[in-house]
């Protein structure tokens, strides 16, 4: 297969995936042209800090959507876990890590609670988490006595606001950050190369070598450029490390583990999965426990970023997380979607919000635009599917 | 059939009610190795119900199930699977969003000590399996939704062979298939028999049945209503199915 054919084949085969990448690049370019500050080191750092918790939520949400459910409660769970942590750390003067562990414990409990109702009682996730949205918001108010708590300060504050900088020195450009990004790029390259070798060994089709190399080089260049921007600003944000670790782990869980395979199977055809011996109830239960866990991580990050807990924290986060998944190619009927796609979907939302803010677009207009983008993304998906089935 | 040989699977006096509906009433059925037994009967005769009992999806209200002459219970699909029963259900049980390999290994994935899927090994086995059954698909990584009905049915049959089953239950595997595809599926069934398996084939198409079956068992209103050799005439079997000339009328 020559390079052109291979390229065309790749694009048509991954229309949805590449479509979303093209859209992302276009949106970034659009804002970069309109506002020279958009790609500045400080602003790139800001985007990471501002939307990390939505991206963390989107990972868990994606698994729930793939399994054919939805979770409307994550915003409330973010608030509740942050509140519990704030009460322990701020009001009772406990160490920062007690707050973190308590938040995660609460998240797991919440997840087990919702998972129980969905998996073992058989109530649709939509209803269970709608109830949860009210329930956990109410509990947040109770835990906080209707009042905000602040500040966390210290190590807790650093979770979402801290940077690794100057560990290896450098003149205005943090060497450590560059080294980490370098390792990431090499790791990515090696894993791609090994996947390719594996595919060839098992006689699967792969894109032609030049195309493969070009792809790697582009990705490496973009990532290193991004790393350089961070390095010349404040260094490597801690949340970026957390986020990267989660994306890698959940990428493996969803694409390479038995559990992940079963999540897709259950979302694709619950009945078939059950007859094939997949433990459907267990899958339902654990995806909600997992969502509770990730919501608690997001709760810690968000309360840390806000340096305190408010009763109304995390309002509407569920909608951002859900939108990220659907923009990123998840199917509304379940069974389809990837963590990587949800991350790009979340970044599209993030870049649009940030870009419009920089341009001084009023909040009302921002919502209109984001709503339209969500609608168009799903419409494109449906159109694309229809086209594919006509081709067959 | 050699008389006196212990059947691979024997059902004795199996009954199953759904509320007031008597789906199965005292049904007997034997299946031997290297044998294709066709199960025929009118709509609602209880064929799928019997298939689900054998597959462990439904539990009979009464009756005895024996494998190799020893009584067994089949409390779940996975229990039946462990005892060597594999099934393709009438309402095709495949995941359209997953690719061929993932479907073939669904619920029985191969994984390493780290809990990660061994895709390479599963692909190799799938490829060998499809070759043995002469199933043709564009690629073993093609999602099922891109396959034709016949190809899907072939994948469904192929997946029964994973885990070395001894009995394969096929509930209307040729329904909704073109003539060419039906012929292919029938070849797959003959291959299964060639591999030494006992095959239970449920079908409404007497031509298909007579083409591959060694024995034809008729169900009518949930009861046994005749047993024929595979080369019995169309009319004979049809009479038993419709009840024409049966002793009860
Ligand atoms: N889950 C169920 N609940 C209640 N009744 C059922 C159920 N499954 C089957 N039945 C009833 O049991 C009887 C036998 O059904 P079964 O599906 O076994 O028929 P069949 O021989 O497979 O028919 P067909 O040729 O139409 O597939 C029918 O009267 C049916 O309505
Ligand atoms: Mg039936």
């Amino acid at each position: 297969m020559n390079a052109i054919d291979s390229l065309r084949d790749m694009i048509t085969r991954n229309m949805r995936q590449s479509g979303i990448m093209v859209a992302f690049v276009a949106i970034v370019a659009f804002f970069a042209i309109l506002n020279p500050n958009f790609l500045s080191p400080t602003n790139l750092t800001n985007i990471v800090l501002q939307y990390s918790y939505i991206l963390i939520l989107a990972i868990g949400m994606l698994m729930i959507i793939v399994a054919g459910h939805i979770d409307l409660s994550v915003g409330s769970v973010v608030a509740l876990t942050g509140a519990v942590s704030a009460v322990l750390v701020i009001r009772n003067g406990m160490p920062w890590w007690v707050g973190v562990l308590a938040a995660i414990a609460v998240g797991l409990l919440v997840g087990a609670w919702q998972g129980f109702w969905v998996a073992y009682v058989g109530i649709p996730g939509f209803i269970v988490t709608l109830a949860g949205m009210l329930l956990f918001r109410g509990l947040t108010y109770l835990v906080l006595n209707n009042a905000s708590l602040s500040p966390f300060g210290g190590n807790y504050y650093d979770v979402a606001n801290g940077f690794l900088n100057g560990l290896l020195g450098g003149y205005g450009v943090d060497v450590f950050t560059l080294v980490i990004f370098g390792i990431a790029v090499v790791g990515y390259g090696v894993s791609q190369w090994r996947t390719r070798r594996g595919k060839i060994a098992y006689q699967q089709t792969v894109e032609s070598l030049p195309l493969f190399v070009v792809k790697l080089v582009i990705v490496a260049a973009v990532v290193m450029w991004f790393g350089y921007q961070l390095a010349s600003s404040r260094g490597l944000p801690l949340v970026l490390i957390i986020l990267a670790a989660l994306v890698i782990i959940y990428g493996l869980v969803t694409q390479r583990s038995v559990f992940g395979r079963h999540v897709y199977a259950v979302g694709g055809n619950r009945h078939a999965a059950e007859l094939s011996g997949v433990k459907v109830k267990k899958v339902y239960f654990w995806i909600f426990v997992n969502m509770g866990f990730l919501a608690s991580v997001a709760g810690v990050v968000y309360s840390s970023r806000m340096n305190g807990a408010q009763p109304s924290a995390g309002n509407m986060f569920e909608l951002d997380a859900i939108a990220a998944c659907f923009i990123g190619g998840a199917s509304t009927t379940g069974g389809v979607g990837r963590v990587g796609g949800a991350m790009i979907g979340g970044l599209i939302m993030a870049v649009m919000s940030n870009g419009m803010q920089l341009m001084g677009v009023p909040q009302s207009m921002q919502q209109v635009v984001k709503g339209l983008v969500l609608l168009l993304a799903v419409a494109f998906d449906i159109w694309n599917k229809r086209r594919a089935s006509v081709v067959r | 059939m050699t008389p006196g040989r212990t059947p691979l699977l024997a059902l004795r006096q199996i009954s199953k009610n759904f509320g007031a509906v008597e789906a199965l009433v005292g049904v007997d059925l034997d299946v031997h190795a290297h044998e294709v037994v066709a199960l025929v009967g009118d709509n609602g005769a209880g064929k799928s119900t019997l298939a689900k009992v054998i597959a462990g999806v439904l539990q009979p209200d009464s009756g005895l199930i024996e494998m190799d002459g020893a009584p067994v219970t089949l409390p779940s699909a996975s229990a039946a699977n462990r005892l060597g029963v594999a099934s393709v259900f009438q309402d095709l049980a495949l995941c359209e969003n997953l690719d061929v390999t993932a479907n073939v290994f669904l619920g029985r994935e191969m994984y390493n000590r780290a809990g990660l899927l061994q895709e390479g090994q599963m692909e190799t086995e799938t490829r060998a399996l499809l070759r043995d059954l002469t199933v043709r698909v564009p690629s073993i990584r093609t999602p099922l939704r891109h396959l034709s009905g016949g190809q899907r049915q072939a994948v469904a049959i192929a997946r029964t062979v994973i885990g070395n089953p001894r009995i394969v239950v096929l509930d209307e595997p040729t329904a909704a298939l073109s003539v060419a595809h039906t012929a292919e599926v029938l070849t797959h069934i003959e291959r299964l028999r060639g591999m030494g398996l006992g095959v239970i084939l449920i079908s409404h198409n007497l031509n298909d049945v007579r083409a591959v079956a060694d024995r034809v068992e008729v169900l009518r209103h949930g009861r046994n209503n005749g047993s024929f050799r595979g080369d019995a005439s169309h009319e004979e079997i049809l009479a038993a199915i419709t009840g024409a000339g049966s002793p009860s009328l």
Side-chain angles (χ1 to χ4, degrees):
Chain A
M1 209 186 272
N2 68 38
I4 304 288
D5 277 354
S6 166
L7 185 65
R8 188 181 304 133
D9 179 63
M10 196 176 78
I11 289 173
T12 46
R13 215 159 12 105
N14 302 313
M15 182 79 165
R16 188 66 176 89
Q17 229 75 24
S18 42
I20 203 76
M21 272 314 281
V22 170
F24 180 58
V25 171
I27 291 170
V28 169
F30 176 76
F31 285 116
I33 291 167
L34 285 187
N35 192 321
N37 275 337
F38 180 72
L39 290 181
S40 71
T42 332
N43 193 49
L44 285 178
T45 308
N46 260 337
I47 295 180
V48 172
L49 296 183
Q50 266 176 23
Y51 293 93
S52 52
Y53 36 87
I54 298 293
L55 295 180
I56 293 172
L57 290 174
I59 297 174
M61 189 65 78
L62 179 94
M63 293 173 71
I64 292 204
I65 287 175
V66 165
H69 283 282
I70 198 98
D71 191 335
L72 299 176
S73 70
V74 294
S76 297
V77 181
V78 164
L80 179 62
T81 51
V84 167
S85 174
V87 165
L88 290 175
V89 176
I90 299 175
R91 197 183 286 159
N92 294 321
M94 304 241 192
W96 68 276
W97 52 268
V98 174
V100 172
L101 290 182
I104 291 176
V106 169
L108 290 173
L109 276 177
V110 164
W113 162 265
Q114 305 203 109
F116 166 77
W117 290 102
V118 173
Y120 298 104
V121 184
I123 304 178
F126 177 76
I127 306 292
V128 170
T129 58
L130 185 60
M133 180 176 164
L134 300 170
L135 199 74
F136 303 123
R137 182 64 64 189
L139 285 179
T140 307
Y141 276 88
L142 283 180
V143 167
L144 287 176
N145 275 330
N146 298 330
S148 301
L149 276 181
S150 69
F152 276 106
N155 286 332
Y156 196 97
Y157 178 76
D158 283 341
V159 171
N161 302 286
F163 292 84
L164 290 179
N165 197 348
L167 287 180
L168 298 175
Y171 302 93
V173 178
D174 181 39
V175 174
F176 178 73
T177 305
L178 290 179
V179 168
I180 292 288
F181 270 83
I183 293 174
V185 164
V186 172
Y188 174 76
V190 169
S191 85
Q192 288 292 308
W193 179 248
R194 283 180 51 182
T195 310
R196 184 186 161 85
R197 287 269 299 275
K199 281 188 176 175
I200 293 172
Y202 288 108
Q203 298 147 32
Q204 291 177 12
T205 52
V206 291
E207 65 255 31
S208 68
L209 191 62
L211 185 65
F212 175 77
V213 172
V214 167
K215 210 176 90 181
L216 272 193
V217 168
I218 291 178
V219 170
V222 169
V223 170
M224 281 319 290
W225 172 82
F226 178 65
Y228 183 82
Q229 298 296 311
L230 290 183
S232 47
S233 174
R234 295 198 276 171
L236 193 58
L238 282 173
V239 281
L240 189 61
I241 302 179
I242 298 176
L243 187 61
L246 289 175
V247 168
I248 292 172
I249 291 169
Y250 280 96
L252 280 177
V253 168
T254 52
Q255 300 307 314
R256 300 279 312 276
S257 81
V258 176
F259 179 74
R261 176 62 49 83
H262 288 177
V263 171
Y264 283 89
V266 166
N269 186 344
R270 181 198 164 143
H271 187 58
E274 206 154 26
L275 289 177
S276 305
V278 173
K279 304 216 164 42
V280 175
K281 288 178 181 172
K282 261 193 181 160
V283 171
Y284 283 165
F285 181 77
W286 286 107
I287 54 168
F288 276 96
V289 171
N290 179 59
M291 183 74 250
F293 167 71
L294 286 171
S296 71
V297 174
V300 169
V301 170
Y302 186 69
S303 58
S304 161
R305 172 152 180 83
M306 294 292 124
N307 200 16
Q310 302 86 33
S312 63
N315 214 354
M316 310 267 271
F317 279 13
E318 52 278 342
L319 300 187
D320 280 340
I322 292 168
C325 294
F326 287 135
I327 292 176
S331 149
T332 46
T333 50
V336 177
R338 279 173 174 254
V339 169
M343 294 300 97
I344 304 235
L347 283 175
I348 286 182
M349 300 278 287
V351 164
M352 283 195 318
S353 306
N354 176 281
M356 288 191 287
Q357 253 160 39
L358 282 187
M359 288 166 54
V361 176
Q363 196 72 32
S364 48
M365 205 53 213
Q366 290 188 27
Q367 302 225 359
V368 170
V369 172
K370 285 204 271 183
L372 286 176
V373 166
L374 172 61
L375 206 56
L376 288 179
V378 177
F380 176 71
D381 203 24
I382 289 173
W383 169 78
N384 200 24
K385 244 184 239 152
R386 209 169 284 156
R387 197 188 52 106
S389 61
V390 168
V391 165
R392 189 181 85 206
Chain B
M1 286 304 102
T2 341
R5 191 157 63 108
T6 313
L8 204 49
L9 173 78
L11 303 183
R12 296 282 170 264
Q13 295 299 307
I14 298 290
S15 296
K16 175 77 187 175
N17 297 345
F18 294 107
V21 179
E22 292 185 317
L24 296 174
V25 187
V27 172
D28 289 336
L29 182 74
D30 284 358
V31 184
H32 298 81
H34 285 286
E35 185 184 30
V36 177
V37 177
L39 200 56
V40 298
D42 209 348
N43 288 124
K47 307 180 296 293
S48 294
T49 307
L50 192 62
K52 285 181 177 160
V53 166
I54 299 170
V57 176
L58 288 175
Q59 276 62 53
D61 297 331
S62 64
L64 191 64
I65 304 174
E66 290 178 353
M67 290 188 77
D68 297 320
V72 293
T73 52
L74 305 171
S76 70
S78 40
N81 229 309
R82 273 194 297 278
L83 286 169
V85 180
S87 329
V88 176
F89 298 99
Q90 183 170 6
D91 29 19
L92 202 63
L94 294 168
C95 291
E96 308 238 309
N97 58 329
L98 298 181
D99 62 34
V100 173
T101 307
N103 266 291
V104 165
F105 278 91
L106 186 59
R108 288 164 295 185
E109 291 83 0
M110 303 165 88
Y111 52 91
N112 60 19
R113 259 173 300 151
L116 294 182
L117 295 166
Q118 294 181 309
E119 297 284 5
Q121 235 161 305
M122 291 196 280
E123 286 179 13
T124 312
E125 291 223 0
T126 303
R127 199 170 284 121
L129 192 64
L130 297 186
R131 198 176 40 231
D132 288 350
L133 291 168
T134 59
V135 173
R136 273 183 305 277
V137 291
S139 147
I140 55 171
R141 280 296 170 197
T142 313
L144 260 274
R145 63 170 175 276
H146 294 318
L147 296 186
S148 74
Q151 289 169 326
R152 287 179 215 204
Q153 200 56 261
V155 171
I157 292 176
R159 66 167 264 121
T160 59
V161 188
I162 291 288
N164 296 317
R166 300 193 299 155
I167 306 248
V168 174
V169 184
L170 306 170
D171 194 351
E172 301 197 21
T174 55
L177 290 194
S178 70
V179 177
H181 279 134
T182 299
E184 268 178 35
V185 168
L186 295 182
T187 328
H188 300 326
I189 293 173
E190 279 171 351
R191 287 235 160 66
L192 293 179
R193 172 173 53 199
M195 293 160 109
L197 306 181
V199 181
I200 298 172
L201 167 67
I202 297 175
S203 177
H204 282 288
N205 188 325
L206 291 185
N207 293 328
D208 295 354
V209 162
R210 290 170 61 247
V212 291
D214 300 299
R215 189 150 50 82
V216 182
E217 296 285 344
V218 181
L219 279 189
R220 180 167 159 73
H221 298 325
R223 291 172 172 81
N224 287 101
N225 200 36
S227 174
F228 302 88
R229 285 168 44 133
D231 49 13
S233 77
H234 206 292
E235 290 69 28
E236 274 181 285
I237 302 176
L238 201 59
I241 291 174
T242 56
S246 85
S248 62
L249 287 183

